[in-house]
C-alpha cells in the first residue's frame, strides 16, 4: 500500500486465502485491506493517537438510511452525550476529492447533524465546521483535539 499523508502507525496484518487483512482496533477484527480501508485505518489511528479521541466514542462503518436508501458512513465520533461530533468520509488515494465527495458527506450530515466534517483520500484532508442553525459551514486547517468536558 502506498504511503499516506498521516503519521506512521503500527498495524497488525494477516494473510489468508491470498488476501491481506488489517486489524481494526475499533471493530476489534481483521478486515480485508483495500485502498479505502488503508485510509480509514490511518485516519482512525490519527484520531486516537494524535487528536486524543477515546476509542469508546468512535464508530466505524455503520449503516444509515437516507431518503429510503441504505448508506454506510466511514467513521463517526460521538460527543459523550451521544450527539455526533465528527463524520469522516474516507476515499481511496486514487479518488480525487471533489464536489461529489462533499455532497455525499453533506447528505449524511442532514441526518446525523455533526458539528465537524472531515473528507480524506489519505493524501489530502479537508475539514469543515458546521453552523447547523445558519445552514452554512467554514473550512478549517484541522479538526480540534479532543478535550474531555
Amino acid at each position: 500500500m502506498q504511503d499516506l499523508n498521516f503519521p506512521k502507525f503500527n498495524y497488525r496484518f494477516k494473510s489468508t486465502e491470498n488476501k491481506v487483512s488489517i486489524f481494526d482496533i475499533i471493530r476489534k477484527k481483521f478486515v480485508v485491506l483495500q485502498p479505502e480501508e488503508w485510509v480509514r485505518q490511518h485516519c482512525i489511528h490519527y484520531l486516537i493517537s494524535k487528536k486524543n479521541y477515546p476509542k469508546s466514542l468512535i464508530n466505524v462503518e455503520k449503516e444509515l438510511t437516507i431518503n429510503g436508501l441504505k448508506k454506510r458512513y466511514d467513521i463517526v465520533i460521538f460527543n459523550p452525550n451521544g450527539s455526533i461530533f465528527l463524520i469522516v468520509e474516507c476515499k481511496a488515494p486514487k479518488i480525487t476529492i471533489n464536489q461529489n465527495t462533499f455532497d455525499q458527506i453533506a447528505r449524511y450530515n442532514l441526518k446525523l447533524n455533526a458539528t465537524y466534517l472531515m473528507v480524506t483520500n489519505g493524501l489530502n484532508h479537508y475539514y469543515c465546521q458546521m453552523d447547523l442553525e445558519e445552514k452554512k459551514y467554514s473550512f478549517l486547517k484541522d479538526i480540534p483535539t479532543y478535550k474531555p468536558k
Side-chain angles (χ1 to χ4, degrees), residues 37-104:
E37 191 63 47
W38 185 236
V39 172
R40 185 170 25 249
Q41 293 306 313
H42 275 76
C43 194
I44 289 168
H45 282 263
Y46 171 75
L47 292 167
I48 293 167
S49 300
K50 300 299 180 194
K51 291 298 184 176
N52 300 325
Y53 289 95
K55 288 184 205 176
S56 62
L57 296 179
I58 300 174
N59 206 310
V60 176
E61 277 225 303
K62 292 287 189 226
E63 192 173 89
L64 67 154
T65 303
I66 299 172
N67 297 330
L69 300 172
K70 293 192 182 310
K71 303 289 183 183
R72 289 181 89 74
Y73 61 70
D74 286 307
I75 303 169
V76 161
I77 297 181
F78 290 92
N79 287 303
N81 70 6
S83 64
I84 296 178
F85 181 77
L86 169 72
I87 306 172
V88 182
E89 180 59 31
C90 300
K91 298 293 184 191
K94 70 177 185 189
I95 303 296
T96 302
I97 294 174
N98 57 25
Q99 188 61 49
N100 290 339
T101 315
F102 284 101
D103 290 348
Q104 178 183 2

Side-chain angles (χ1 to χ4, degrees), residues 10-62:
N10 291 320
Y11 299 99
R12 288 175 47 204
F13 299 97
K14 77 174 184 179
S15 184
T16 51
E17 299 174 17
N18 296 328
K19 289 186 180 168
V20 175
S21 295
I22 188 169
F23 189 75
D24 183 316
I25 60 175
I26 301 300
R27 293 179 276 183
K28 295 182 174 64
K29 67 179 185 178
F30 282 93
V31 290
V32 175
L33 183 57
Q34 302 283 347
E36 183 177 312
E37 191 63 47
W38 185 236
V39 172
R40 185 170 25 249
Q41 293 306 313
H42 275 76
C43 194
I44 289 168
H45 282 263
Y46 171 75
L47 292 167
I48 293 167
S49 300
K50 300 299 180 194
K51 291 298 184 176
N52 300 325
Y53 289 95
K55 288 184 205 176
S56 62
L57 296 179
I58 300 174
N59 206 310
V60 176
E61 277 225 303
K62 292 287 189 226

